[in-house]
Amino acid sequence: CSISQSVTLTIELIGENTITGYYGIYVNAEMSANSYGTDASLNITGNGSLIVTGTNSHGLFVKSGTGNASLNIKNVAVTSSTNGNYAAGVYVTSSMYATNSPNISLSVNGGSLTTSASEGNDGIQFYVGLFEATGATTSLTVSDNAIVDARNGGISASKISETLPT
């Protein structure tokens, strides 16, 4: 993204799809310590399925700059996993530059999301990257008969050195 701009990646699935890499899919609005955007969002839609594996990091990874971070899955089947140490199957986070009250969200509207992580790590993790972001919110919204399966790793929400209500 450009400085003070948002970044959005929309993936429209057709058929069965697989993505494997260091990061499975990574959308990042934080470019560097003195150059960052605002909101970051990843939208996965279409007519098909997606298997994502992060070999050394998170499977699905969305990170805001100064604003909100969101992952939206609509009417598709997504499986996201990681083989990385200290990594989550799905990781949605605000950066250490997020100001005020960033909203960190995951929504699954129809379809399904199945997550897994290596032992001791979270299937889905929400993280607030700035201690001073006292008004930050984290949310998981499941609608239209969608299924979210995070049994392998669970779901957590945290802020630097502090666990948030989940």
Side-chain angles (χ1 to χ4, degrees):
C1 64
S2 300
I3 295 173
S4 299
Q5 299 295 312
S6 63
V7 61
T8 300
L9 173 62
T10 299
I11 297 173
E12 184 172 351
L13 301 177
I14 300 171
E16 297 178 7
N17 303 274
T18 301
I19 295 175
T20 302
Y22 186 94
Y23 302 107
I25 299 173
Y26 185 22
V27 178
N28 184 9
E30 177 194 350
M31 296 175 286
S32 67
N34 56 7
S35 174
Y36 39 84
T38 56
D39 302 337
S41 62
L42 171 60
N43 306 302
I44 304 174
T45 65
N47 184 13
S49 63
L50 174 62
I51 297 172
V52 178
T53 304
T55 58
N56 290 301
S57 189
H58 313 292
L60 293 173
F61 187 177
V62 181
K63 184 177 189 179
S64 75
T66 60
N68 305 320
S70 65
L71 169 58
N72 306 293
I73 296 169
K74 185 170 183 181
N75 296 327
V76 294
V78 176
T79 300
S80 183
S81 63
T82 180
N83 297 323
N85 293 328
Y86 309 106
V90 173
Y91 188 66
V92 186
T93 181
S94 61
S95 79
M96 62 183 296
Y97 307 104
T99 55
N100 301 322
S101 304
N103 181 23
I104 302 165
S105 65
L106 166 60
S107 71
V108 184
N109 182 358
S112 64
L113 171 63
T114 303
T115 68
S116 63
S118 54
E119 188 172 336
N121 296 312
D122 300 311
I124 298 171
Q125 183 176 8
F126 301 98
Y127 185 73
V128 178
L130 180 66
F131 184 76
E132 290 83 2
T134 55
T137 58
T138 59
S139 65
L140 168 61
T141 304
V142 183
S143 59
D144 197 18
N145 296 311
I147 296 171
V148 173
D149 182 350
R151 286 177 285 184
N152 185 354
I155 302 170
S156 73
S158 58
K159 182 167 59 174
I160 298 173
S161 302
E162 179 183 353
T163 300
L164 299 174
T166 306

